[in-house]
Amino acid sequence: MRAAAIATAVTVAVATLTATPAALGEADDGGEGDTTLHLVTLRGPGTAGHRGAAPAEEVAERMLALQERVLDDVDAADPVYQWTTALNGFAVELTEEQHDVLVGDDRVALVEENAVRPLAEVASAPAGALEAAGAPGRPGRWSGGAGGAGTVIGFVDTGIDPASPAFAEPASPGRQPRRYDGSCADAPDDPAWSSDECSTKIVGAEYFVSGFGSDALRSTAALSPRDTDGHGTASASIAAGTTNVAVRARGYALGRFSGVAPQARIGVYKACWSAPDPVDDGCATADLVAAIDRATADRVDVLNLSVAGPADTVDTVERALLGATEAGIVVTAAAGNEGTQAYAAHPSPWVVTVGASTSARRVGAVVARRGPRLEGAMAATAPVGPARLVVGADAAAPGASTDDARVCAPGSLDVRAVHGAVVLCERGRLPRLTKSRTVRLADGAGMVLVNRRAGSTDADLHEVPTVHLSAADGRALTAWARQHPRAEVRLESRGRERTPARVARFSSGGDPTWSVIKPDVVAPGTGVLAATAGGWDVVSGTSAAAAHASGVAAVLIGDPRNDAAEVRSALLTSTAPIGHRAGLRAGTGQVQVRRVPPMAYLVDPRHYRGWLTGRRSDLDLPQALMRTGRLVVRRTITNTGNRPLWLTAHLNGFDSPVRVSPSAALVRPGRTLTFRLSLGSAPLATDTGTVVWHSAQGDRTRLAVVITR
């Protein structure tokens, strides 16, 4: 009966092969004993990687038949999901004995227990801190801009808030996507969602929950593509938010908002969920693979994944992302926010792994009358004061402790002491925005937030205008305030400060023992304005950086002359230096590409699969990891333009005597140049640098090199 049902599904439509809908719920018990949900991948690619003459429908039918035989051989229950596009596999409840049998089955490539992965995010302001000017309950129409027309970015995330003005239908949406074939799901369990939520901007929306479990959701979670967390909405707005959206709120006039690729369309693949305990929030790997498989079948142009993951293994999620790459999709993923505590996630060469760099910050100042003038981070543009400066620790409410008042804990401030004043609150114990809410509820006019130790200063969207000061400046201001108990200060905006970009402290770096350099690139990932569920927010994290890179990829692939391999190369090679060293912290550097140059490092997707199956010969990636025993590396660069290129190589940043040969060559259209990087002996310490090829016409490409002992 199971085989007959599957055959019927194949006859109806190939789309039904990609994943069992979320409405199926949990699988039945697979036999005697306890069962656990497992992801089983069979050998060989999905239909996306199939290179034979047979049509995809026929290939998928054969895959399902093989899956049926494998399931029957272990007497397994009906699968929760079945996949045939990005990979050939299924998710099914297994006993320990069934698991052991499948691990030893020659038809099976990988058996992996379902697990919940966290999102790659950094705590930020709560949703609803701001509202967009003129934003009605439903999206309006805004004058559109260029960038990403004709493309679809798929977001595997927490869903989307379709009412956000960031996704308003543009007046000039541009040409229709060339190949997208997604749909907009109904959600009978969520009365706030219907398939009518989709538009010319949000062109598809699905949700996948069987791996996480609908019975494991928070009561406020929406069993639909609708976002109740805010993370997915933020990612989509950064990458593809509609242009020319005004953002204003009390004390804040943040100008006009636009995503990186404002004409790109959005495909939503909700696979990340909220649990009753926030510690349990995340994305089940079975749901992630189902979402990737569906996005691959729908033929998105760019796929964005902001989910943490293992740094030292190619798991089922990575295998599914290979299938997406084989389908001609540019895949971008967040490196993770563990800093030096963990290596960068997504170690596969077919994934563009994105770390975070610091962004230009909004600067403000605390200006004391006949006292110090101290600069810090400030989002508000409207000034405050002159107003009395009150130290929170000196204004405890009756019954509240001094320690609570020092950090401006809820209910800790005496309204009589802080009414109309600027309150000095120390950082720690509580979210930063909780402190400004305490000040607002006590009728304070503004806040000075001071660090207690070394740390970031952040231009959050506080509930009262706020300047965030460093620990040293905070100590100086606190001492001055206590010496001048009736002193007055002003909080003044100084606009945006442009400082040299650097890799954010929280951005995870790469593993020097791995076979490829991660992250591949970095992009802006601190203090980024984004839409969230119900409002606006300032967000930080490699999720924001990955979304930025996805938007850039959509802009590039929107030019029909560019294919996915060329765009992937351009993302990695048309970068700007960041800091003194790149390599295992920043890859080739900061994403900074406006067009695809006529020279590229092209990797045939078949070579990625060869790398997966153990043939780890050099891929033509714009990076090289050299170590003792491997001090010679070859790379090939292709002239993808229509005229000859005279190329010359320049070596930047190396302490070691790296050589490149040849160092100059004429490369005709469609032809390649294979060059050799070599080092005579192992370095005394880790060394990094770049090889930059320049053309006589002014084009350039950067290749990152890391040399370890």
Side-chain angles (χ1 to χ4, degrees):
M1 291 178 63
R2 182 167 63 203
I6 292 173
T8 301
V10 172
T11 304
V12 174
V14 178
T16 62
L17 307 177
T18 61
T20 302
L24 284 181
E26 299 299 322
D28 295 329
D29 193 305
E32 294 182 1
D34 294 334
T35 63
T36 306
L37 186 63
H38 284 77
L39 288 66
V40 180
T41 304
L42 304 186
R43 297 192 182 277
T47 57
H50 178 70
R51 295 293 182 265
E57 293 87 346
E58 181 180 328
V59 175
E61 188 171 354
R62 291 201 298 263
M63 290 180 185
L64 288 171
L66 176 59
Q67 292 178 23
E68 174 70 14
R69 292 194 295 272
V70 172
L71 287 162
D72 282 345
D73 286 348
V74 294
D75 194 25
D78 290 339
V80 174
Y81 291 119
Q82 289 183 270
W83 311 302
T84 61
T85 306
L87 48 68
N88 180 8
F90 48 84
V92 67
E93 294 279 345
L94 297 174
T95 64
E96 185 176 348
E97 181 181 2
Q98 291 168 329
H99 165 272
D100 293 344
V101 171
L102 288 180
V103 167
D105 192 323
D106 289 340
R107 299 167 295 182
V108 175
L110 180 65
V111 182
E112 184 177 75
E113 188 172 340
N114 181 54
V116 175
R117 302 270 175 78
L119 287 160
E121 63 179 335
V122 169
S124 57
L130 286 181
E131 297 176 354
R138 299 284 301 162
R141 296 182 66 87
W142 305 85
S143 57
T151 66
V152 177
I153 307 176
F155 295 90
V156 178
D157 216 301
T158 63
I160 200 163
D161 176 8
S164 171
F167 311 121
E169 297 185 65
S172 301
R175 66 180 182 277
Q176 291 289 324
R178 298 188 297 271
R179 63 180 201 169
Y180 184 69
D181 192 30
S183 59
C184 200
D186 283 316
D189 294 314
D190 182 8
W193 175 274
S194 76
S195 59
D196 295 336
E197 302 293 343
C198 288
S199 62
T200 58
K201 185 65 175 177
I202 302 172
V203 293
E206 302 286 346
Y207 65 105
F208 306 86
V209 72
S210 295
F212 193 90
S214 57
D215 58 345
L217 300 182
R218 188 179 304 170
S219 61
T220 56
L223 200 58
S224 74
R226 185 167 60 90
D227 186 9
T228 56
D229 174 89
H231 188 278
T233 298
S235 295
S237 68
I238 293 168
T242 302
T243 193
N244 202 31
V245 177
V247 182
R248 292 194 295 268
R250 55 183 181 276
Y252 303 94
L254 300 178
R256 297 276 169 173
F257 175 85
S258 174
V260 176
Q263 284 194 311
R265 317 296 176 99
I266 295 169
V268 179
Y269 300 89
K270 182 176 178 180
C272 302
W273 301 89
S274 299
D277 185 343
V279 173
D280 299 324
D281 291 356
C283 325
T285 50
D287 297 331
L288 290 173
V289 173
I292 294 166
D293 193 70
R294 176 64 61 84
T296 304
D298 289 347
R299 305 183 71 189
V300 299
D301 298 288
V302 180
L303 186 61
N304 183 93
L305 184 69
S306 296
V307 179
D312 57 354
T313 186
V314 179
D315 62 1
T316 313
V317 172
E318 298 297 293
R319 289 169 179 263
L321 294 175
L322 172 56
T325 300
E326 290 173 323
I329 297 169
V330 178
V331 177
T332 64
N337 304 324
E338 300 301 322
T340 59
Q341 302 303 307
Y343 290 128
H346 307 291
S348 307
W350 50 84
V351 176
V352 178
T353 306
V354 188
S357 62
T358 56
S359 311
R361 66 172 189 163
R362 296 178 181 271
V363 178
V366 182
V367 181
R369 183 175 296 178
R370 295 186 297 277
R373 295 169 176 256
L374 305 170
E375 287 194 347
M378 181 181 188
T381 56
V384 173
R388 289 181 301 111
L389 177 63
V390 175
V391 177
D394 300 336
S401 70
T402 299
D403 286 341
D404 281 349
R406 177 178 289 109
V407 296
C408 298
S412 66
L413 298 178
D414 188 340
V415 175
R416 294 169 298 179
V418 305
H419 174 75
V422 171
V423 184
L424 190 151
C425 303
E426 293 185 6
R427 190 173 179 179
R429 283 179 50 190
L430 303 163
R432 297 189 295 269
L433 269 76
T434 299
K435 302 171 188 290
S436 63
R437 185 178 302 114
T438 300
V439 173
R440 179 179 65 82
L441 293 175
D443 292 334
M447 180 176 74
V448 179
L449 179 64
V450 300
N451 287 349
R452 302 170 67 177
R453 58 184 65 87
S456 64
T457 56
D458 303 279
D460 297 310
L461 304 183
H462 286 282
E463 298 208 11
V464 294
T466 297
V467 176
H468 187 172
L469 298 178
S470 67
D473 287 346
R475 287 192 294 269
L477 183 63
T478 302
W480 181 85
R482 284 185 165 143
Q483 293 168 4
H484 303 81
R486 301 189 64 80
E488 293 185 337
V489 298
R490 281 176 56 85
L491 306 184
E492 300 176 352
S493 173
R494 298 289 170 84
R496 293 180 69 85
E497 180 186 61
R498 295 282 178 183
T499 57
R502 57 180 176 80
V503 179
R505 292 182 185 179
F506 59 76
S507 184
S508 296
D511 182 352
T513 67
W514 193 243
S515 56
V516 293
I517 296 172
K518 293 291 177 175
D520 296 278
V521 291
V522 295
T526 61
V528 180
L529 179 65
T532 62
W536 295 86
D537 202 346
V538 171
V539 300
S540 295
T542 54
S543 290
H548 182 101
S550 293
V552 173
V555 171
L556 297 178
I557 211 164
D559 185 338
R561 295 171 296 180
N562 301 329
D563 65 23
E566 292 170 344
V567 169
R568 192 178 298 110
S569 174
L571 274 177
L572 273 58
T573 62
S574 298
T575 54
I578 182 166
H580 298 294
R581 301 285 183 179
L584 295 174
R585 289 285 289 152
T588 55
Q590 173 100 329
V591 170
Q592 193 181 51
V593 55
R594 295 174 178 82
R595 67 182 185 88
V596 173
M599 42 192 179
Y601 296 90
L602 303 178
V603 182
D604 188 316
R606 289 174 294 184
H607 296 166
Y608 288 133
R609 188 158 290 277
W611 184 94
L612 172 66
T613 56
R615 298 192 298 274
R616 303 244 167 137
S617 58
D618 275 352
L619 300 171
D620 279 319
L621 300 170
Q623 55 165 257
L625 189 58
M626 305 171 70
R627 59 173 65 94
T628 301
R630 188 177 182 270
L631 296 178
V632 176
V633 172
R634 288 176 175 81
R635 290 290 183 270
T636 298
I637 193 167
T638 301
N639 181 348
T640 57
N642 54 15
R643 59 181 177 178
L645 296 175
W646 177 256
L647 302 181
T648 56
H650 299 261
L651 303 178
N652 297 329
F654 293 103
D655 295 326
S656 307
V658 177
R659 300 182 63 182
V660 57
S661 178
S663 59
L666 178 68
V667 186
R668 301 192 180 279
R671 305 298 292 271
T672 62
L673 166 65
T674 299
F675 59 93
R676 180 175 179 265
L677 294 174
S678 61
L679 183 64
S681 60
L684 297 177
T686 297
D687 193 9
T688 64
T690 54
V691 179
V692 185
W693 286 95
H694 294 264
S695 76
Q697 291 78 22
D699 300 299
R700 65 176 178 82
T701 63
R702 291 164 52 84
L703 178 146
V705 181
V706 174
I707 309 168
T708 62
R709 289 188 58 79

